[in-house]
Amino acid sequence: MKKPLEVLRLYAEHDYTLNGVLASRAARDPGRPFMRFRDRQWSWGEFALKAEAAARVLASRGIAKGDRVGVMARNCDGHVVMLFALARLGAIMVPVNPEFGVEEAKYVLHHAEVSAVAATTDTLEVARKAAAGLKNPAWFLMLDAAATDAPLLDDLLNSAKADLPATVDADATCLIVYTSGTTGFPKGAMHSQRSFVTGGEAFVQRVYLQDDDRVMVVLPMFHINAMFYSVAGTLAAGASMIIIPKFSASTFWQTAVDTGATEVNIIEAIGSILRARPRSEFRPDHKITKVYGVRASMDETFKNEFKIPHRIGGYGMTEIPGVTCNPFEGPQKLGSMGPIGRHPDPARPWAQCRVVDDEGRDLPDGEAGELWVKTPILMQGYFRDPEQTKNTFHDGWFKTGDLVKRDSDGYFYFISRKRDIIRRRGENIAAAELDRVVGEHPAVAEAGTIAVPSELGEDEIFVICALKPGAAVTAQEIADWCKSRLAPQKVPRFVAFIDELPHTPTHKIAKAQLREDKALRARAVDLQAKS
């Protein structure tokens, strides 16, 4: 296995633009496989030609530096083509969740003021309605089949003759990724081409990605993980990627075998689903050796049952991808976010992290505080939101809003979002801890914990549970479960049961929605109510 820096040095130096890195990887061996989607496969050389042709198509239709173009589709090769084609022009891709309804998509497309939208047949109708009313009407381009007045991108590749800019600045914005909007409206985090490429190089370090690895992309491409880790990592390593339209638990292992995948990125929800699936679906002849995103609670399953030797966990956000990571070669500490990550080149300056109190004063190891970060892989700001951008930084430090603690070895441990802290009886209680503990009950599929006002001031704990099919449990049994595992002040007062918890587009529990649902409180069992 090559060391990460050895992998990067297989290729000629580049200018940190997407086109520059693509050219350097393609030059080594243009015939090597780069991307597979369904029954289509491209070599590095073929993809480079297609990306350039697509850039000419976009330029011929007026797309230029700084213009935004929405891409609303399930994972497909078109995402990657559009990303590189737009970057070649210094333009910007705005990925949109294909599951969005009209109002959700409308907010993103109108806020970004897109000039065009690339869609697929299953998203076109929603995308058209969402784009209606733009000050400058957007034109449409299809990624899978031509529509009545929206041409198929592939049909235009041989006819566009527009000139391309001689150079593109590596610091030009190439992506605006909108956050999931758990509170308020989504914010558009802007990332430069340099940030994207650097993020890919850092991912090579995190999972020791090799030039012959086959990265299976199952996370959605409107998400920072798929873009900055899977796609950018493949680019940096000169590896190849297999694009899967949407994660399917029932076919996951068969797909891994069929495609020869060696690396995959997941989130906690996917790990939990795979752990719970019938083992009859598992294929022991898979070739996956590395999984990024395995949580401590599922590590044993992935190690001993799924036989995956390298299980890596780390921490990042849409604004700051890949800040910390458990080292590939160890030591790893289960349950931690790992120490500060690094670039394959040890001479490159890298991230800095602080744990601070509410006044911004540094805290010693072992004490919980907010994580502040400086990192080369940093968003340029929130698109058209200078006030929010300003409020997110302090003297150049990005304020994550996450409460963590650091041990004496420099490993960080996530506690909770600051806004997800419950203040009860003078103590700060992390709702995430309740989510985890209640979620471990044999009858519970998932739990979400929120604060509700107490008659005596401060907060009371309200746990909302979704049960496994056919399972039954009482509110008192949930409280007793917590009582045997947690301090008395952490035992919930209110418990409610619903069929399914709401989720954000990135599969996190939508706690803002739970807080706004007044009917939930009315349905809850008050365990302190007088009989």
Side-chain angles (χ1 to χ4, degrees):
M1 182 182 292
K2 303 179 188 73
K3 297 291 187 181
L5 189 56
E6 293 174 333
V7 173
L8 298 189
R9 287 179 172 170
L10 292 170
Y11 312 102
E13 293 187 4
H14 53 79
D15 60 1
Y16 277 85
T17 65
L18 271 70
N19 184 63
V21 187
L22 176 61
S24 79
R25 272 54 180 165
R28 178 185 170 214
D29 183 358
R32 293 174 64 244
F34 170 65
M35 180 172 63
R36 171 179 170 178
F37 175 67
R38 292 181 170 150
D39 58 350
R40 297 199 295 271
Q41 183 164 304
W42 289 269
S43 69
W44 281 86
E46 289 168 339
F47 180 80
L49 291 174
K50 180 165 185 173
E52 179 171 317
R56 294 186 189 279
V57 170
L58 296 170
S60 70
R61 295 191 158 228
I63 300 298
K65 179 179 179 180
D67 288 341
R68 281 82 55 201
V69 174
V71 176
M72 188 171 182
R74 294 193 189 280
N75 286 3
C76 66
D77 46 8
H79 279 91
V80 187
V81 173
M82 291 296 292
L83 173 67
F84 280 81
L86 289 164
R88 180 67 183 85
L89 303 174
I92 304 164
M93 186 169 99
V94 182
V96 183
N97 183 352
E99 305 291 344
F100 271 174
V102 173
E103 289 304 312
E104 294 165 304
K106 179 179 180 178
Y107 178 82
V108 173
L109 297 178
H110 282 247
H111 186 268
E113 291 190 359
V114 299
S115 300
V117 179
T120 49
T121 50
D122 59 338
T123 64
L124 181 60
E125 182 179 356
V126 170
R128 281 194 188 284
K129 292 177 180 177
L134 278 165
K135 182 178 178 181
N136 296 307
W139 52 268
F140 281 77
L141 191 66
M142 301 300 293
L143 299 178
D144 60 350
T148 52
D149 60 342
L152 177 66
L153 174 62
D154 285 352
D155 290 344
L156 305 175
L157 296 179
N158 296 324
S159 59
K161 307 297 182 184
D163 292 332
L164 300 179
T167 59
V168 174
D169 186 355
D171 294 315
T173 305
C174 69
L175 269 172
I176 300 178
V177 181
Y178 278 80
T179 62
S180 56
T182 53
T183 59
F185 290 109
K187 302 183 294 291
M190 302 182 291
H191 279 281
S192 69
Q193 298 196 34
R194 187 187 305 279
S195 177
F196 183 85
V197 173
T198 305
E201 292 178 342
F203 191 71
V204 172
Q205 174 68 43
R206 282 203 292 286
V207 302
Y208 274 45
L209 201 64
Q210 302 292 295
D211 56 312
D212 60 354
D213 266 325
R214 297 171 68 84
V215 178
M216 186 163 72
V217 186
V218 299
L219 294 177
M221 287 187 166
F222 63 82
H223 191 271
I224 202 77
N225 188 312
M227 280 295 176
F228 265 72
Y229 302 166
S230 298
V231 177
T234 296
L235 177 67
S240 62
M241 65 180 130
I242 304 116
I243 298 174
I244 308 301
K246 186 178 182 181
F247 168 71
S248 167
S250 62
T251 61
F252 177 87
W253 295 110
Q254 184 63 53
T255 301
V257 171
D258 291 344
T259 59
T262 60
E263 196 277 342
V264 67
N265 297 349
I266 63 172
I267 58 175
E268 184 174 9
I270 288 178
S272 297
I273 291 169
L274 290 175
R275 181 178 58 180
R277 295 292 298 182
R279 291 301 180 263
S280 59
E281 296 171 353
F282 176 65
R283 287 290 305 271
D285 51 337
H286 74 80
K287 296 180 180 179
I288 297 175
T289 60
K290 295 172 279 196
V291 177
Y292 182 81
V294 174
R295 301 288 187 178
S297 62
M298 58 195 72
D299 184 76
E300 184 176 351
T301 299
F302 275 77
K303 176 183 178 182
N304 297 325
E305 294 190 55
F306 299 157
K307 305 298 182 184
I308 296 174
H310 302 291
R311 306 155 313 280
I312 311 298
Y315 168 88
M317 299 174 65
T318 301
E319 297 87 344
I320 47 168
V323 176
T324 69
C325 185
N326 271 284
F328 184 84
E329 293 186 317
Q332 295 197 14
K333 295 188 179 184
L334 286 180
S336 81
M337 297 153 44
I340 296 171
R342 62 185 181 88
H343 189 272
D345 184 350
R348 291 275 293 269
W350 210 241
Q352 304 172 58
C353 293
R354 297 170 60 192
V355 181
V356 302
D357 63 17
D358 289 341
E359 282 72 48
R361 297 173 298 204
D362 290 287
L363 293 169
D365 293 343
E367 289 196 23
E370 184 179 3
L371 179 65
W372 287 8
V373 176
K374 284 185 179 180
T375 173
I377 316 172
L378 175 69
M379 71 165 183
Q380 297 165 303
Y382 294 118
F383 184 66
R384 291 183 172 163
D385 198 342
E387 189 65 26
Q388 190 70 250
T389 301
K390 178 182 177 182
N391 293 338
T392 305
F393 288 89
H394 179 83
D395 290 339
W397 291 90
F398 177 81
K399 301 185 291 184
T400 67
D402 286 336
L403 293 178
V404 305
K405 62 181 179 180
R406 179 185 53 231
D407 69 15
S408 58
D409 295 323
Y411 285 64
F412 293 82
Y413 296 80
F414 179 81
I415 297 172
S416 175
R417 293 291 292 167
K418 281 186 75 173
R419 63 174 177 261
D420 211 17
I421 286 292
I422 300 169
R423 184 72 176 175
R424 190 188 197 198
R425 301 175 192 171
E427 298 285 342
N428 288 330
I429 299 167
E433 183 180 21
L434 271 295
D435 296 347
R436 176 181 58 80
V437 170
V438 177
E440 290 170 351
H441 190 285
V444 176
E446 194 174 30
T449 307
I450 60 175
V452 292
S454 169
E455 303 93 330
L456 303 176
E458 295 192 332
D459 301 320
E460 292 288 0
I461 299 173
F462 183 11
V463 173
I464 302 99
C465 304
L467 301 184
K468 295 177 181 176
V473 68
T474 67
Q476 186 59 56
E477 287 170 335
I478 293 294
D480 291 342
W481 175 269
C482 294
K483 198 175 298 182
S484 65
R485 290 162 173 77
L486 299 169
Q489 67 268 24
K490 297 181 181 180
V491 176
R493 174 177 172 182
F494 299 99
V495 178
F497 299 98
I498 58 177
D499 293 335
E500 186 177 0
L501 292 176
H503 291 87
T504 70
T506 51
H507 303 288
K508 297 175 183 177
I509 298 172
K511 293 199 173 179
Q513 192 172 330
L514 293 177
R515 295 186 188 101
E516 293 166 3
D517 189 346
K518 304 304 181 186
L520 269 180
R521 176 68 179 272
R523 292 168 49 191
V525 175
D526 182 352
L527 294 163
Q528 293 181 14
K530 295 178 181 179
S531 56

